[in-house]
Short mmCIF file of all heavy atoms in Angstrom, two decimals:
data_model
loop_
_atom_site.label_atom_id
_atom_site.label_comp_id
_atom_site.label_asym_id
_atom_site.label_seq_id
_atom_site.Cartn_x
_atom_site.Cartn_y
_atom_site.Cartn_z
N ALA A 1144 -31.58 49.08 -6.71
CA ALA A 1144 -31.61 47.82 -7.46
C ALA A 1144 -30.52 46.73 -6.96
O ALA A 1144 -30.71 45.52 -7.14
CB ALA A 1144 -31.37 48.14 -9.00
N PHE A 1145 -29.61 47.32 -6.21
CA PHE A 1145 -28.59 46.42 -5.65
C PHE A 1145 -28.90 45.80 -4.32
O PHE A 1145 -28.27 45.03 -3.78
CB PHE A 1145 -27.24 47.09 -5.55
CG PHE A 1145 -26.51 47.47 -6.80
CD1 PHE A 1145 -26.64 48.70 -7.44
CD2 PHE A 1145 -25.69 46.52 -7.39
CE1 PHE A 1145 -26.05 48.94 -8.62
CE2 PHE A 1145 -25.07 46.82 -8.59
CZ PHE A 1145 -25.25 48.05 -9.20
N GLY A 1146 -30.09 46.22 -3.87
CA GLY A 1146 -30.53 45.69 -2.55
C GLY A 1146 -30.82 44.22 -2.57
O GLY A 1146 -30.64 43.51 -1.67
N GLY A 1147 -31.30 43.65 -3.75
CA GLY A 1147 -31.64 42.29 -3.85
C GLY A 1147 -30.40 41.44 -3.77
O GLY A 1147 -30.30 40.43 -3.12
N GLU A 1148 -29.28 41.93 -4.40
CA GLU A 1148 -27.95 41.24 -4.29
C GLU A 1148 -27.45 41.22 -2.92
O GLU A 1148 -26.83 40.14 -2.41
CB GLU A 1148 -26.97 41.90 -5.26
CG GLU A 1148 -25.58 41.20 -5.26
CD GLU A 1148 -24.62 41.98 -6.20
OE1 GLU A 1148 -25.06 42.77 -7.03
OE2 GLU A 1148 -23.41 41.57 -6.09
N ALA A 1149 -27.61 42.37 -2.16
CA ALA A 1149 -27.19 42.37 -0.83
C ALA A 1149 -27.96 41.39 0.07
O ALA A 1149 -27.27 40.70 0.91
CB ALA A 1149 -27.33 43.79 -0.25
N ASP A 1150 -29.21 41.33 -0.19
CA ASP A 1150 -30.07 40.24 0.60
C ASP A 1150 -29.55 38.86 0.28
O ASP A 1150 -29.54 38.05 1.29
CB ASP A 1150 -31.50 40.45 0.20
CG ASP A 1150 -32.12 41.68 0.61
OD1 ASP A 1150 -31.48 42.42 1.49
OD2 ASP A 1150 -33.16 42.19 0.11
N GLU A 1151 -29.18 38.59 -0.90
CA GLU A 1151 -28.83 37.21 -1.23
C GLU A 1151 -27.43 36.94 -0.51
O GLU A 1151 -27.25 35.78 -0.06
CB GLU A 1151 -28.67 37.10 -2.77
CG GLU A 1151 -29.91 37.08 -3.46
CD GLU A 1151 -29.63 37.04 -5.06
OE1 GLU A 1151 -28.51 36.80 -5.45
OE2 GLU A 1151 -30.69 37.03 -5.81
N LEU A 1152 -26.58 37.86 -0.52
CA LEU A 1152 -25.26 37.71 0.15
C LEU A 1152 -25.44 37.49 1.61
O LEU A 1152 -24.76 36.76 2.26
CB LEU A 1152 -24.29 38.84 -0.12
CG LEU A 1152 -23.85 38.86 -1.64
CD1 LEU A 1152 -23.19 40.20 -1.90
CD2 LEU A 1152 -22.80 37.80 -1.85
N GLU A 1153 -26.35 38.36 2.22
CA GLU A 1153 -26.60 38.19 3.69
C GLU A 1153 -27.13 36.84 4.07
O GLU A 1153 -26.90 36.38 5.10
CB GLU A 1153 -27.62 39.34 4.11
CG GLU A 1153 -27.03 40.70 4.27
CD GLU A 1153 -28.00 41.73 4.67
OE1 GLU A 1153 -29.22 41.41 4.62
OE2 GLU A 1153 -27.61 42.72 5.13
N ALA A 1154 -27.92 36.26 3.18
CA ALA A 1154 -28.45 34.90 3.44
C ALA A 1154 -27.26 33.81 3.16
O ALA A 1154 -27.39 32.74 3.85
CB ALA A 1154 -29.60 34.62 2.49
N ARG A 1155 -26.34 34.03 2.26
CA ARG A 1155 -25.39 33.10 1.97
C ARG A 1155 -24.27 33.04 2.98
O ARG A 1155 -23.67 31.97 3.25
CB ARG A 1155 -24.83 33.36 0.57
CG ARG A 1155 -23.76 32.30 0.12
CD ARG A 1155 -23.48 32.53 -1.39
NE ARG A 1155 -22.51 31.51 -1.84
CZ ARG A 1155 -21.18 31.79 -2.06
NH1 ARG A 1155 -20.78 33.01 -1.98
NH2 ARG A 1155 -20.37 30.82 -2.42
N ILE A 1156 -23.91 34.17 3.57
CA ILE A 1156 -22.75 34.26 4.43
C ILE A 1156 -22.89 33.34 5.73
O ILE A 1156 -22.00 32.70 6.05
CB ILE A 1156 -22.57 35.71 4.94
CG1 ILE A 1156 -21.85 36.51 3.73
CG2 ILE A 1156 -21.60 35.76 6.14
CD1 ILE A 1156 -21.72 37.96 3.92
N PRO A 1157 -24.05 33.25 6.33
CA PRO A 1157 -24.21 32.33 7.47
C PRO A 1157 -24.01 30.87 7.05
O PRO A 1157 -23.55 30.02 7.84
CB PRO A 1157 -25.70 32.53 7.91
CG PRO A 1157 -25.92 34.00 7.55
CD PRO A 1157 -25.33 34.11 6.29
N GLN A 1158 -24.42 30.49 5.86
CA GLN A 1158 -24.33 29.18 5.40
C GLN A 1158 -22.80 28.83 5.09
O GLN A 1158 -22.34 27.76 5.53
CB GLN A 1158 -25.01 29.05 3.96
CG GLN A 1158 -26.49 29.16 4.02
CD GLN A 1158 -27.19 29.22 2.70
OE1 GLN A 1158 -26.47 29.11 1.67
NE2 GLN A 1158 -28.52 29.17 2.67
N LEU A 1159 -22.05 29.80 4.65
CA LEU A 1159 -20.57 29.61 4.47
C LEU A 1159 -19.87 29.56 5.86
O LEU A 1159 -19.01 28.83 6.07
CB LEU A 1159 -20.06 30.77 3.65
CG LEU A 1159 -20.38 30.75 2.18
CD1 LEU A 1159 -19.87 31.98 1.51
CD2 LEU A 1159 -19.75 29.49 1.47
N GLU A 1160 -20.41 30.38 6.80
CA GLU A 1160 -19.75 30.33 8.18
C GLU A 1160 -20.07 28.99 8.82
O GLU A 1160 -19.17 28.47 9.53
CB GLU A 1160 -20.40 31.43 8.98
CG GLU A 1160 -19.91 32.87 8.50
CD GLU A 1160 -20.68 33.96 9.36
OE1 GLU A 1160 -21.74 33.72 9.81
OE2 GLU A 1160 -20.06 35.07 9.40
N GLU A 1161 -21.23 28.45 8.67
CA GLU A 1161 -21.57 27.12 9.28
C GLU A 1161 -20.71 26.05 8.63
O GLU A 1161 -20.15 25.26 9.22
CB GLU A 1161 -22.97 26.83 9.09
CG GLU A 1161 -23.48 25.50 9.65
CD GLU A 1161 -24.98 25.23 9.57
OE1 GLU A 1161 -25.68 26.09 9.02
OE2 GLU A 1161 -25.36 24.07 9.87
N ARG A 1162 -20.55 26.14 7.23
CA ARG A 1162 -19.67 25.15 6.58
C ARG A 1162 -18.27 25.22 7.07
O ARG A 1162 -17.64 24.14 7.27
CB ARG A 1162 -19.83 25.45 5.08
CG ARG A 1162 -18.85 24.60 4.25
CD ARG A 1162 -19.07 23.15 4.34
NE ARG A 1162 -18.26 22.44 3.32
CZ ARG A 1162 -17.94 21.10 3.44
NH1 ARG A 1162 -18.36 20.39 4.51
NH2 ARG A 1162 -17.16 20.49 2.55
N LEU A 1163 -17.76 26.39 7.26
CA LEU A 1163 -16.29 26.57 7.76
C LEU A 1163 -16.17 26.07 9.11
O LEU A 1163 -15.17 25.40 9.34
CB LEU A 1163 -16.00 28.07 7.51
CG LEU A 1163 -14.49 28.35 7.86
CD1 LEU A 1163 -13.53 27.58 6.88
CD2 LEU A 1163 -14.24 29.79 7.73
N ALA A 1164 -17.20 26.37 9.94
CA ALA A 1164 -17.04 25.81 11.31
C ALA A 1164 -17.05 24.35 11.35
O ALA A 1164 -16.32 23.69 12.08
CB ALA A 1164 -18.25 26.33 12.13
N GLU A 1165 -17.84 23.75 10.45
CA GLU A 1165 -17.83 22.27 10.37
C GLU A 1165 -16.53 21.69 9.96
O GLU A 1165 -15.99 20.72 10.47
CB GLU A 1165 -18.88 21.81 9.37
CG GLU A 1165 -18.97 20.31 9.16
CD GLU A 1165 -20.08 19.94 8.16
OE1 GLU A 1165 -21.02 20.69 7.98
OE2 GLU A 1165 -19.92 18.78 7.61
N LEU A 1166 -15.83 22.40 8.96
CA LEU A 1166 -14.60 21.95 8.43
C LEU A 1166 -13.44 22.12 9.35
O LEU A 1166 -12.49 21.44 9.39
CB LEU A 1166 -14.25 22.77 7.11
CG LEU A 1166 -15.18 22.38 5.93
CD1 LEU A 1166 -14.85 23.38 4.78
CD2 LEU A 1166 -14.84 20.93 5.39
N LEU A 1167 -13.60 23.18 10.27
CA LEU A 1167 -12.60 23.37 11.25
C LEU A 1167 -12.78 22.57 12.58
O LEU A 1167 -11.78 22.58 13.40
CB LEU A 1167 -12.63 24.86 11.64
CG LEU A 1167 -12.13 25.82 10.63
CD1 LEU A 1167 -12.36 27.33 11.05
CD2 LEU A 1167 -10.66 25.66 10.30
N ALA A 1168 -13.93 21.91 12.63
CA ALA A 1168 -14.01 21.03 13.88
C ALA A 1168 -12.93 19.95 13.83
O ALA A 1168 -12.61 19.46 12.71
CB ALA A 1168 -15.43 20.38 13.88
N PRO A 1169 -12.43 19.53 15.03
CA PRO A 1169 -11.41 18.48 15.05
C PRO A 1169 -11.86 17.21 14.25
O PRO A 1169 -13.03 16.76 14.36
CB PRO A 1169 -11.31 18.17 16.45
CG PRO A 1169 -11.71 19.42 17.27
CD PRO A 1169 -12.81 19.95 16.29
N ARG A 1170 -11.08 16.76 13.43
CA ARG A 1170 -11.30 15.49 12.60
C ARG A 1170 -10.42 14.45 12.94
O ARG A 1170 -9.30 14.62 13.58
CB ARG A 1170 -11.32 15.85 11.09
CG ARG A 1170 -9.93 16.22 10.56
CD ARG A 1170 -9.99 16.46 9.03
NE ARG A 1170 -10.14 15.15 8.34
CZ ARG A 1170 -10.35 15.08 7.10
NH1 ARG A 1170 -10.61 16.20 6.34
NH2 ARG A 1170 -10.58 13.85 6.43
N ASP A 1171 -10.79 13.27 12.55
CA ASP A 1171 -9.95 12.04 12.78
C ASP A 1171 -8.67 12.11 11.97
O ASP A 1171 -8.80 12.24 10.75
CB ASP A 1171 -10.74 10.80 12.43
CG ASP A 1171 -10.13 9.54 12.79
OD1 ASP A 1171 -8.86 9.54 12.82
OD2 ASP A 1171 -10.80 8.55 13.18
N PRO A 1172 -7.56 12.18 12.59
CA PRO A 1172 -6.26 12.34 11.77
C PRO A 1172 -6.02 11.19 10.80
O PRO A 1172 -5.22 11.38 9.91
CB PRO A 1172 -5.19 12.41 12.79
CG PRO A 1172 -5.78 11.76 14.09
CD PRO A 1172 -7.24 12.11 14.01
N SER A 1173 -6.79 10.17 10.92
CA SER A 1173 -6.52 8.96 10.08
C SER A 1173 -7.51 8.92 8.96
O SER A 1173 -7.50 7.99 8.09
CB SER A 1173 -6.63 7.62 10.85
OG SER A 1173 -5.61 7.51 11.76
N ASP A 1174 -8.36 9.91 8.79
CA ASP A 1174 -9.46 9.89 7.85
C ASP A 1174 -8.99 9.66 6.29
O ASP A 1174 -9.67 9.10 5.49
CB ASP A 1174 -10.36 11.17 7.87
CG ASP A 1174 -11.48 10.94 8.78
OD1 ASP A 1174 -11.73 9.76 9.33
OD2 ASP A 1174 -12.20 11.97 9.08
N ALA A 1175 -7.75 10.15 6.15
CA ALA A 1175 -7.20 10.12 4.64
C ALA A 1175 -6.54 8.69 4.44
O ALA A 1175 -6.20 8.47 3.20
CB ALA A 1175 -6.19 11.18 4.37
N LYS A 1176 -6.52 7.93 5.44
CA LYS A 1176 -5.67 6.71 5.24
C LYS A 1176 -6.41 5.55 4.60
O LYS A 1176 -7.62 5.48 4.65
CB LYS A 1176 -5.10 6.23 6.61
CG LYS A 1176 -3.99 7.18 7.20
CD LYS A 1176 -3.38 6.58 8.37
CE LYS A 1176 -2.18 7.38 8.83
NZ LYS A 1176 -1.54 6.81 9.91
N ASP A 1177 -5.72 4.57 4.09
CA ASP A 1177 -6.23 3.35 3.62
C ASP A 1177 -6.33 2.35 4.82
O ASP A 1177 -5.96 2.72 5.94
CB ASP A 1177 -5.23 2.62 2.60
CG ASP A 1177 -5.01 3.46 1.40
OD1 ASP A 1177 -5.93 4.17 0.95
OD2 ASP A 1177 -3.88 3.59 0.93
N VAL A 1178 -7.00 1.23 4.76
CA VAL A 1178 -7.29 0.32 5.83
C VAL A 1178 -6.91 -1.09 5.58
O VAL A 1178 -6.73 -1.55 4.38
CB VAL A 1178 -8.79 0.39 6.35
CG1 VAL A 1178 -9.20 1.82 6.50
CG2 VAL A 1178 -9.69 -0.30 5.29
N ILE A 1179 -6.72 -1.85 6.72
CA ILE A 1179 -6.76 -3.21 6.62
C ILE A 1179 -7.95 -3.67 7.41
O ILE A 1179 -8.08 -3.35 8.56
CB ILE A 1179 -5.46 -3.84 7.30
CG1 ILE A 1179 -4.22 -3.46 6.46
CG2 ILE A 1179 -5.54 -5.38 7.42
CD1 ILE A 1179 -2.88 -3.88 7.02
N LEU A 1180 -8.80 -4.49 6.71
CA LEU A 1180 -10.09 -4.89 7.31
C LEU A 1180 -10.02 -6.32 7.43
O LEU A 1180 -9.65 -7.09 6.43
CB LEU A 1180 -11.24 -4.50 6.33
CG LEU A 1180 -12.71 -4.79 6.85
CD1 LEU A 1180 -13.60 -3.68 6.39
CD2 LEU A 1180 -13.16 -6.16 6.26
N GLU A 1181 -10.29 -6.87 8.57
CA GLU A 1181 -10.38 -8.31 8.96
C GLU A 1181 -11.79 -8.66 9.31
O GLU A 1181 -12.48 -7.98 10.06
CB GLU A 1181 -9.37 -8.64 10.14
CG GLU A 1181 -7.95 -8.26 9.84
CD GLU A 1181 -7.08 -8.37 11.08
OE1 GLU A 1181 -6.85 -9.48 11.51
OE2 GLU A 1181 -6.61 -7.38 11.60
N VAL A 1182 -12.14 -9.91 8.85
CA VAL A 1182 -13.47 -10.43 9.28
C VAL A 1182 -13.18 -11.78 9.81
O VAL A 1182 -12.48 -12.67 9.25
CB VAL A 1182 -14.40 -10.59 8.01
CG1 VAL A 1182 -15.76 -11.10 8.49
CG2 VAL A 1182 -14.54 -9.25 7.29
N LYS A 1183 -13.65 -12.08 10.97
CA LYS A 1183 -13.44 -13.31 11.75
C LYS A 1183 -14.78 -14.05 12.09
O LYS A 1183 -15.65 -13.41 12.62
CB LYS A 1183 -12.64 -13.08 12.99
CG LYS A 1183 -11.27 -12.42 12.77
CD LYS A 1183 -10.64 -12.11 14.14
CE LYS A 1183 -9.28 -11.40 13.97
NZ LYS A 1183 -8.31 -12.29 13.34
N ALA A 1184 -14.86 -15.27 11.71
CA ALA A 1184 -16.08 -16.05 12.13
C ALA A 1184 -16.07 -16.24 13.59
O ALA A 1184 -15.05 -16.28 14.23
CB ALA A 1184 -16.00 -17.40 11.47
N GLY A 1185 -17.25 -16.22 14.18
CA GLY A 1185 -17.37 -16.35 15.65
C GLY A 1185 -18.31 -17.54 16.04
O GLY A 1185 -18.21 -18.63 15.49
N GLU A 1186 -19.31 -17.28 16.90
CA GLU A 1186 -20.30 -18.24 17.30
C GLU A 1186 -21.08 -18.65 16.03
O GLU A 1186 -21.49 -17.79 15.21
CB GLU A 1186 -21.17 -17.64 18.34
CG GLU A 1186 -20.49 -17.44 19.70
CD GLU A 1186 -21.45 -17.00 20.73
OE1 GLU A 1186 -22.66 -16.88 20.42
OE2 GLU A 1186 -20.99 -16.65 21.89
N GLY A 1187 -21.46 -19.95 15.98
CA GLY A 1187 -22.27 -20.42 14.91
C GLY A 1187 -21.61 -21.42 13.99
O GLY A 1187 -22.26 -21.85 12.99
N GLY A 1188 -20.41 -21.71 14.15
CA GLY A 1188 -19.66 -22.76 13.39
C GLY A 1188 -19.68 -22.41 11.86
O GLY A 1188 -19.32 -21.25 11.55
N GLU A 1189 -20.05 -23.35 11.06
CA GLU A 1189 -20.05 -23.14 9.61
C GLU A 1189 -20.93 -21.95 9.18
O GLU A 1189 -20.57 -21.22 8.24
CB GLU A 1189 -20.45 -24.40 8.87
CG GLU A 1189 -19.40 -25.33 8.66
CD GLU A 1189 -18.31 -24.97 7.75
OE1 GLU A 1189 -18.51 -23.98 6.92
OE2 GLU A 1189 -17.14 -25.45 7.79
N GLU A 1190 -22.01 -21.72 9.82
CA GLU A 1190 -22.91 -20.65 9.46
C GLU A 1190 -22.27 -19.28 9.73
O GLU A 1190 -22.39 -18.39 8.84
CB GLU A 1190 -24.24 -20.75 10.28
CG GLU A 1190 -25.12 -19.45 10.32
CD GLU A 1190 -25.53 -18.99 8.88
OE1 GLU A 1190 -25.39 -19.68 7.93
OE2 GLU A 1190 -26.19 -17.88 8.86
N SER A 1191 -21.52 -19.20 10.85
CA SER A 1191 -20.82 -17.97 11.07
C SER A 1191 -19.67 -17.75 9.99
O SER A 1191 -19.47 -16.58 9.56
CB SER A 1191 -20.07 -18.03 12.39
OG SER A 1191 -19.38 -16.92 12.65
N ALA A 1192 -19.04 -18.83 9.58
CA ALA A 1192 -17.98 -18.64 8.49
C ALA A 1192 -18.65 -18.27 7.15
O ALA A 1192 -18.11 -17.46 6.47
CB ALA A 1192 -17.24 -20.03 8.39
N LEU A 1193 -19.87 -18.80 6.92
CA LEU A 1193 -20.52 -18.40 5.67
C LEU A 1193 -20.90 -16.95 5.81
O LEU A 1193 -20.83 -16.21 4.79
CB LEU A 1193 -21.76 -19.26 5.46
CG LEU A 1193 -21.51 -20.72 5.09
CD1 LEU A 1193 -22.76 -21.51 5.12
CD2 LEU A 1193 -20.91 -20.78 3.73
N PHE A 1194 -21.33 -16.45 6.96
CA PHE A 1194 -21.79 -15.04 7.10
C PHE A 1194 -20.53 -14.19 6.93
O PHE A 1194 -20.58 -13.09 6.43
CB PHE A 1194 -22.39 -14.87 8.46
CG PHE A 1194 -22.76 -13.42 8.78
CD1 PHE A 1194 -23.45 -12.65 7.97
CD2 PHE A 1194 -22.40 -12.91 9.99
CE1 PHE A 1194 -23.82 -11.34 8.19
CE2 PHE A 1194 -22.74 -11.50 10.33
CZ PHE A 1194 -23.41 -10.84 9.36
#
Side-chain angles (χ1 to χ4, degrees):
F1145 287 96
E1148 182 179 347
D1150 291 342
E1151 291 179 3
L1152 288 167
E1153 284 182 341
R1155 183 166 180 255
I1156 285 175
Q1158 297 173 354
L1159 290 171
E1160 290 174 337
E1161 181 179 354
R1162 169 64 174 157
L1163 186 59
E1165 177 182 336
L1166 291 169
L1167 289 174
R1170 63 177 289 169
D1171 190 327
S1173 295
D1174 272 352
K1176 290 188 175 183
D1177 301 321
V1178 308
I1179 293 177
L1180 183 146
E1181 299 173 68
V1182 185
K1183 301 176 182 292
E1186 294 183 2
E1189 276 293 341
E1190 163 61 5
S1191 178
L1193 290 170
F1194 178 51

